[in-house]
Amino acid sequence: MRLSRYFMPILKENPKEAEIVSHRLMLRAGMIRQQSQGIYSWLPLGKRVLDKVNAVIREEQNRAGAIELSMPTLQSAELWQESGRYDAYGKEMLRIKDRQERPMLYGPTNEEMVTDIFRASVKSYKDLPLNLYHIQLKFRDEIRPRFGTMRSREFMMKDAYSFDLTREAAEHSYNKMFAAYLRTFDRLGLRAIPMRADTGPIGGNLSHEFIILADTGESEVFCHKDFVGFDIPGERTDFDSVEGLQAIFDKWTSLYAATSEMHDEAAFNAIPESERLSARGIEVGHIFYFGTKYSEPMGAKVQGPDGKEHFVHMGSYGIGPTRLVPAIIEASHDDNGIIWPASVAPFDVVVINMKAGDEACDDTCELIYAALTKAGKDVLYDDTDDRAGTKFATADLIGVPLQIIAGPRAVANGEVEVKDRKTGARETMTIEAAINRFVA
Ligand code: ATP
Ligand code: MG
């Protein structure tokens, strides 16, 4: 992508409305724009990051055996009347009428709809387990939308829904998502700690929130320090192994970890003081097992091996991609801007032409740009005629992990500089070596 032809509306000034660093940096880097309260456009740079976050989420959901589909944002009120939640949900639900005066709503979540899809076609235990997910916009009319896309009214959610014949089987499905979440957040460069959570209106007694520690987090959390160093399940985790996944779950729930709603002061104080961690956190995911709460009222049942009909045991599993983007920034930035983990960086590398219009600089940059693009890298080429200082500031602000800097003096020697955004380390090398560093 040539910067001169890209759309990346950088702000020079700090936006006054932004209270936390991630919101400030997302606005300054031209990633998002608020359209009305708590409702955002994702501008091209932001959209790239969001897509990469979703790609990681999708890969790990698929690895764990979940199957992607797409459900609509607009739902009929009838489904919600069946489960009893239409009246129970309250003001967070945006209720709409169509031209026939039929009550509709903008989905805040999809338990009812996915249960409807399930009951229409699954009739036998032989088709279980089943886990269906989608990545879709949701709307919740939050009282206090704030911090940009961290808490917005329209936001994106990956929501998965599992269906099983028995509680034991449903617990295995739960453990699959538990392990998938550990892997997902790790790949996004985050240390997320599963904490026992209140099931609230969803019901049931098995629920975990995945929390990342950050000073700007909205939740108060308490946990054992050792979580920070726990091993993440590897790429070759066998998601069909009931014992293997139970062992992961047991390990990751062996120590104290709770949000303030579930906090047990006495249990926390039993941990030696030096091993206690009390901090603020951001909820990036939330998983529930809720048994037959929706399958019973909505009549979602299958024939079991005993020939009888059984209401299916369900769970739901949410991750917020549009909250994850600012959460990643909260965890990874410095005074100059964002520092993206490679897995979600909008570009792999930015090529900075220090003297656009100079033949040697132009040729060198074009050569590198073409070679890296050909190698399948996402390359941003700063071919503008901005001042060097502006170019450096922009490259640092948008947080691309590596910068290749081509200035007239180095180029005359057949060299460029490669700068690591995170460490700031700069290395001069031949043009060929710079290319090979990315291509190899
Ligand atoms: P919170 O407690 O933060 O209001 P919640 O418990 O209502 O969230 P869930 O129903 O568990 O949220 O939704 C699953 C995930 O969706 C959350 O873990 C979060 O990552 C994301 N999410 C929920 N509400 C919002 C929101 N208003 N803005 C952005 N992301 C959200
Ligand atoms: Mg929650």
Side-chain angles (χ1 to χ4, degrees):
M1 181 60 61
R2 288 171 198 276
L3 185 55
S4 63
R5 295 184 203 162
Y6 198 41
F7 180 67
M8 200 171 79
I10 299 274
L11 296 183
K12 294 240 161 50
E13 304 294 318
N14 265 330
K16 283 193 288 298
E17 71 269 32
E19 296 170 62
I20 61 172
V21 67
S22 55
H23 189 194
R24 202 152 55 230
L25 290 173
M26 286 175 80
L27 290 171
R28 286 205 41 218
M31 292 177 64
I32 53 170
R33 175 172 173 76
Q34 178 169 301
Q35 301 299 156
S36 55
Q37 197 195 28
I39 300 180
Y40 288 84
S41 291
W42 284 75
L43 306 182
L45 191 76
K47 173 77 163 60
R48 275 180 172 264
V49 177
L50 187 58
D51 285 349
K52 291 207 173 175
V53 167
N54 285 335
V56 170
I57 293 172
R58 190 172 272 125
E59 269 180 41
E60 295 303 331
Q61 289 292 295
N62 295 350
R63 189 197 305 278
I67 306 167
E68 187 170 10
L69 80 174
S70 176
M71 294 179 266
T73 51
L74 291 179
Q75 306 188 17
S76 141
E78 270 170 43
L79 274 179
W80 288 68
Q81 280 152 353
E82 279 191 56
S83 73
R85 278 210 293 184
Y86 188 63
D87 294 323
Y89 211 93
K91 291 202 161 192
E92 280 198 2
M93 183 189 278
L94 181 65
R95 296 156 208 261
I96 313 160
K97 283 210 172 110
D98 69 10
R99 66 196 295 166
Q100 268 94 32
E101 293 290 308
R102 277 186 297 242
M104 311 279 294
L105 57 101
Y106 193 129
T109 177
N110 280 59
E111 279 82 6
E112 284 80 358
M113 187 172 280
V114 77
T115 304
D116 176 62
I117 291 173
F118 179 90
R119 72 181 172 186
S121 33
V122 182
K123 305 291 178 199
S124 164
Y125 75 96
K126 291 181 185 155
D127 296 323
L128 303 182
L130 183 65
N131 183 328
L132 299 174
Y133 78 96
H134 70 161
I135 302 178
Q136 179 62 285
L137 293 172
K138 303 281 183 287
F139 192 93
R140 294 181 185 172
D141 205 349
E142 301 266 356
I143 297 192
R144 236 166 38 109
R146 58 184 185 150
F147 302 156
T149 65
M150 190 77 91
R151 178 171 297 284
S152 50
R153 297 199 297 164
E154 188 188 62
F155 60 96
M156 197 170 270
M157 200 197 289
K158 181 289 298 179
D159 39 326
Y161 302 89
S162 66
F163 301 88
D164 286 278
L165 182 65
T166 62
R167 181 183 171 120
E168 295 70 56
E171 282 176 7
H172 181 211
S173 293
Y174 186 91
N175 291 346
K176 286 183 191 172
M177 287 294 110
F178 189 95
Y181 276 35
L182 292 173
R183 287 191 46 76
T184 302
F185 298 127
D186 182 63
R187 286 185 58 192
L188 298 175
L190 298 170
R191 170 59 43 154
I193 301 172
M195 306 206 177
R196 280 199 51 207
D198 199 357
T199 48
I202 295 211
N205 57 6
L206 188 57
S207 176
H208 288 88
E209 284 178 352
F210 286 74
I211 306 270
I212 64 158
L213 305 178
D215 294 341
T216 48
E218 289 183 292
S219 326
E220 209 184 341
V221 300
F222 306 86
C223 69
H224 196 290
K225 267 207 174 112
D226 284 1
F227 274 114
V228 177
F230 272 15
D231 284 343
I232 301 294
E235 202 164 273
R236 300 178 52 187
T237 299
D238 177 3
F239 283 86
D240 291 325
S241 163
V242 174
E243 304 74 40
L245 287 196
Q246 191 59 44
I248 292 170
F249 176 85
D250 290 345
K251 166 93 182 157
W252 277 88
T253 52
S254 61
L255 297 175
Y256 187 83
T259 60
S260 54
E261 295 107 55
M262 296 291 279
H263 186 45
D264 174 349
E265 195 75 41
F268 185 60
N269 289 337
I271 305 172
E273 199 169 352
S274 60
E275 289 158 35
R276 285 180 217 157
L277 194 61
S278 111
R280 301 203 67 82
I282 301 170
E283 178 198 322
V284 287
H286 195 168
I287 62 178
F288 301 87
Y289 161 74
F290 46 76
T292 58
K293 179 173 156 99
Y294 299 93
S295 57
E296 276 195 51
M298 296 186 66
K301 49 195 173 187
V302 294
Q303 192 171 49
D306 56 4
K308 296 192 190 129
E309 304 248 273
H310 301 263
F311 290 115
V312 285
H313 287 251
M314 292 174 59
S316 69
Y317 315 91
I319 291 184
T322 49
R323 176 177 291 177
L324 271 168
V325 173
I328 292 166
I329 298 175
E330 290 293 326
S332 183
H333 65 270
D334 64 14
D335 289 346
N336 298 327
I338 303 166
I339 304 173
W340 294 115
S343 57
V344 299
F347 295 97
D348 300 314
V349 51
V350 50
V351 177
I352 302 175
N353 187 340
M354 298 278 289
K355 202 172 177 197
D358 173 90
E359 203 180 321
C361 283
D362 289 354
D363 288 351
T364 299
C365 288
E366 291 289 346
L367 181 85
I368 296 171
Y369 179 49
L372 297 186
T373 302
K374 189 161 168 240
K377 299 290 162 194
D378 281 330
V379 190
L380 180 66
Y381 171 25
D382 187 345
D383 58 342
T384 64
D385 47 22
D386 288 338
R387 287 184 307 110
T390 305
K391 291 190 180 213
F392 290 145
T394 298
D396 280 356
L397 173 65
I398 66 172
V400 175
L402 286 157
Q403 306 171 5
I404 297 180
I405 302 160
R409 210 176 307 152
V411 164
N413 296 329
E415 291 177 335
V416 288
E417 251 189 311
V418 176
K419 177 179 154 186
D420 181 311
R421 169 63 182 91
K422 188 172 182 178
T423 63
R426 287 158 168 262
E427 213 182 316
T428 301
M429 58 182 82
T430 63
I431 294 162
E432 203 186 5
I435 292 171
N436 284 338
R437 178 164 173 165
F438 292 91
V439 174

